[in-house]
Amino acid sequence: MSARDAVQQALAGMSDEKREQLLKLNPGLRALDTQRHAACPPSERAALDASTKARAAHAAQGAAAQASGGDWETAVFDALGVLTLAGDVAWWEHTGPGVVLIEGVWTPTKRALCDVVGAVRGGRCLVAEIKRTVEGVVDLRRESKARARVKPHQADQLTATATAGGVALLVVEVRGVAAVIPWREVSGLGVVNVDVARRHESRRGIVAALRSAFG
């Protein structure tokens, strides 16, 4: 059973009230927009629909990046959904740049933080940046302009989270090698290449790798 199927099955077995509470707390379960809409009170559906439309518009603007990394990102989100239902994750959200509709075009209004923010069991903060590259490296250098890079403000967010005792992760797929890497272990590197990824390879699957990284 895939991670997404496991999430769907678990939600189907919940009462409407419990499912509504879970989906409100975890808007990061974005693969479940249909269920979210059904569970949402009528007074809040317009706002939910606007948020969904904005995410779709932003995704369309980044079609090239989505083509190279979307499947990997979706796999990580599905794994987080499983871990939420299992109780390992208290809540999580997929972040993105703020957008506003200007003359019919969705325009970013602020920079994006790391891809995932949330909290794990026990109350620690969770911050994760998700990257996939077929080019060979995820670039960590602050001056980098590479497509697969961790931007300086994202690196600062990861470092601050790790320093404060939270869970700060770089979740990567480099040339087919999937890895969940504690930020502390790579923050001093210039790049994460396939050799670095192999040292943290998710051989038991992304769900198990994330759970292990939570400590």
Side-chain angles (χ1 to χ4, degrees):
M1 179 184 295
S2 70
R4 178 165 297 189
D5 289 343
V7 172
Q8 297 280 6
Q9 185 178 55
L11 284 170
M14 292 181 180
S15 67
D16 290 343
E17 181 179 2
K18 184 175 181 180
R19 184 174 63 191
E20 179 181 341
Q21 291 173 347
L22 178 70
L23 295 177
K24 280 185 175 181
L25 185 61
N26 287 278
L29 295 173
R30 68 188 182 97
L32 305 171
D33 278 336
T34 300
Q35 289 92 330
R36 290 174 62 200
H37 188 280
C40 190
S43 62
E44 298 177 14
R45 284 179 183 168
L48 176 62
D49 290 342
S51 173
T52 301
K53 185 176 180 180
R55 289 200 313 273
H58 177 65
Q61 289 178 341
Q66 190 71 6
S68 65
D71 290 346
W72 170 237
E73 189 177 73
T74 298
V76 177
F77 292 159
D78 289 347
L80 286 168
V82 170
L83 291 167
T84 300
L85 295 172
D88 297 274
V89 175
W91 70 271
W92 68 277
E93 172 66 285
H94 173 212
T95 70
V99 293
V100 62
L101 188 63
I102 300 177
E103 297 182 353
V105 177
W106 289 104
T107 303
T109 59
K110 65 178 182 179
R111 64 189 183 183
L113 297 175
C114 290
D115 291 309
V116 171
V117 297
V120 301
R121 188 201 305 264
R124 286 187 300 157
C125 177
L126 167 65
V127 174
E129 179 64 8
I130 304 168
K131 294 294 179 189
R132 176 181 183 269
T133 176
V134 295
E135 298 167 351
V137 299
V138 174
D139 207 322
L140 308 184
R141 294 171 292 187
R142 297 185 74 87
E143 70 278 8
S144 172
K145 301 298 181 184
R147 185 169 65 181
R149 71 185 186 276
V150 177
K151 296 177 181 178
H153 68 276
Q154 295 170 330
D156 292 343
Q157 185 185 7
L158 289 162
T159 298
T161 301
T163 301
V167 179
L169 304 174
L170 184 61
V171 185
V172 300
E173 185 182 75
V174 181
R175 291 185 176 175
V177 178
V180 176
I181 310 175
W183 178 247
R184 286 185 180 277
E185 298 189 23
V186 293
S187 60
L189 301 180
V191 298
V192 172
N193 58 24
V194 69
D195 292 330
V196 174
R198 283 198 182 103
R199 291 199 289 271
H200 300 272
E201 189 170 358
S202 306
R203 292 184 175 86
R204 293 183 298 149
I206 189 65
V207 172
L210 285 167
R211 178 179 281 128
S212 178
F214 296 160

